[in-house]
Amino acid sequence: MESFKSSQVSNWSVYGIPAFQDNYLWAIVHEPSKACVVVDPGCARSVQGFLDSHSYHLSGILVTHHHLDHVGGIDQLLKQNGNDLPVYGPASGRVAQVNHPVKEGDVLDVHCLMAKVLEVPGHTVDHIAYVIELKDTLNSNDVWMFCGDTLFSGGCGRLFEGTPQQMHESLQKLNQFPANTRIYCAHEYTESNMRFARAFAPGSRSIEEREIEVRKIRENGLSTIPTTLEIERLSNLFINAKNSIEFKEIREAKDSF
C-alpha cells in the first residue's frame, strides 16, 4: 500500500505512510508551506520516500513511546534533514533523540495547530498520545488523535509494562473526546481484532456489522485507519469495558486467542 491522504481541514492534511508489515507512520502537513511533522517514524526510508515524492520538508517529529518500530528511523531522518529538528516525546529519557520532552497537559504548536499531550500508560509505562482539536482555530469540530499503540481499531495495545488498571484508565481518557474524533493508531490490526471480538461477543450485532465492513475494506486493499470514537464505542470491547477487572478478562482472552 502506498501513502494515502486520510484527512484534510483547510490548509492541514494527515497522510498515512505504511511501513514494515502493518505499521502506519502519520504525517501532519501544512500544505501552503509544505512543512511536515511525522509521528512515530520507525522507518526512515518510508518517511523520506514520502517527503521526497511530495516535495515536503520535515519540520519535526512526535514520538509516542520507545519501541523500535516507532523510533528506529529517527537517527537517519535527522541526519538527512537536520540534527536540530525538534523531536517531542516522553520525558522518561528512553528515547535518546528526544530534545523536547513533554508531559501530561503540555501543548505543542504543530504548524499553528495546538497538539495536547496526554499520558496514557499501559502498553508502556511512559506512553503518550497527541490530540489536536481544530474547533477553535477553524470553526470546525474535527479532532485528530495520534495514540500510538494504546487504542487500536477494535482493540488496544498489549500490556508489556503497565497494568490493566492503567490501560483501562488510559482508554477512558482517550474516550472523553467527541464521537467524530479521528483515531490515528499505529497498526493495521482491525481485521484480527474484529475476529476476536466476534468470537468473544457472538451476540453483538454492531460487532458483526463492523467485522463484515472491515473484511470488505481489507479485501479491496484499503486501510481501516483512521477509525473514529463513534465506531469504537459500537465495536471495541476494550474501550467499552466497565472496569479494570472486565478489561483484564478481555485482554487475557485476546492474548491467548
Side-chain angles (χ1 to χ4, degrees), residues 67-124:
H67 288 163
L68 188 62
D69 61 323
H70 293 252
V71 303
I74 295 178
D75 282 337
Q76 184 63 29
L77 288 171
L78 294 179
K79 182 179 179 180
Q80 292 181 250
N81 297 276
N83 288 314
D84 59 343
L85 287 174
V87 181
Y88 300 91
S92 59
R94 299 169 84 179
V95 181
Q97 301 91 340
V98 168
N99 51 31
H100 288 72
V102 295
K103 62 184 185 305
E104 175 83 18
D106 286 348
V107 179
L108 318 178
D109 185 340
V110 180
H111 312 318
C112 297
L113 298 177
M114 298 297 104
K116 184 178 181 179
V117 177
L118 301 178
E119 293 177 359
V120 285
H123 182 65
T124 67

Side-chain angles (χ1 to χ4, degrees), residues 153-154 188-197 214 254 257:
S153 179
E188 181 61 71
Y189 289 161
T190 316
E191 192 168 14
S192 61
N193 285 339
M194 295 317 302
R195 282 199 301 269
F196 163 73
V214 165
K254 178 63 168 66
F257 181 69

Side-chain angles (χ1 to χ4, degrees), residues 160-173:
F160 287 121
E161 298 175 0
T163 67
Q165 179 70 34
Q166 285 178 313
M167 183 61 101
H168 175 67
E169 291 175 356
S170 292
L171 292 176
Q172 295 315 304
K173 183 183 290 188

Side-chain angles (χ1 to χ4, degrees), residues 142-179:
D142 285 34
V143 181
W144 297 343
M145 177 184 291
F146 301 89
C147 53
D149 287 357
T150 297
L151 173 61
F152 295 131
S153 179
C156 73
R158 287 180 178 268
L159 305 185
F160 287 121
E161 298 175 0
T163 67
Q165 179 70 34
Q166 285 178 313
M167 183 61 101
H168 175 67
E169 291 175 356
S170 292
L171 292 176
Q172 295 315 304
K173 183 183 290 188
L174 297 179
N175 198 24
Q176 69 181 295
F177 292 93

